[in-house]
Amino acid sequence: DIARVTVSGTAIGLSLQEVSTLERLMRSAGRVITKRALGEHLYAIAREWTDNAVETIVRRLRRKLSSAGATLEITTLRGIGYLLVENEG
């Protein structure tokens, strides 16, 4: 883990890619981020990436946020991208 983030009073460790993903989603709160834009953001340094790589990072980040009791969740808009939203439940 590269960074520790506090979520609802619980500290969680995040990898560099998870931190970058969360930061990108938070900076774009209320707006959809396409999988392509997120992949290009994560792998900007000439590294090839796949949709599966982005999905894996988002899945790990979702799991960590959920286990910490986060009030935000990452929603997938199938075929479009991701959206950070306030959890209703």
Side-chain angles (χ1 to χ4, degrees):
D1 294 338
I2 297 295
R4 298 204 74 63
V5 181
T6 302
V7 178
S8 300
T10 302
I12 58 173
L14 298 178
S15 70
L16 181 59
Q17 291 173 324
E18 291 164 344
V19 168
S20 186
T21 299
L22 182 58
E23 178 184 30
R24 176 67 183 222
L25 289 166
M26 290 176 76
R27 288 182 186 273
S28 302
R31 295 188 315 253
V32 176
I33 299 296
T34 65
K35 191 180 294 185
R36 177 177 202 76
L38 191 53
E40 289 171 354
H41 172 74
L42 290 169
Y43 297 103
I45 305 175
R47 181 173 166 193
E48 289 187 33
W49 60 275
T50 64
D51 285 350
N52 188 44
V54 174
E55 291 164 5
T56 299
I57 294 165
V58 170
R59 183 174 44 249
R60 285 192 326 243
L61 183 55
R62 276 187 181 131
R63 189 177 315 126
K64 289 179 180 184
L65 291 173
S66 176
S67 68
T71 58
L72 297 174
E73 73 180 43
I74 303 167
T75 301
T76 299
L77 301 174
R78 203 164 184 85
I80 300 172
Y82 300 101
L83 181 64
L84 188 65
V85 297
E86 188 76 23
N87 188 344
E88 298 288 327

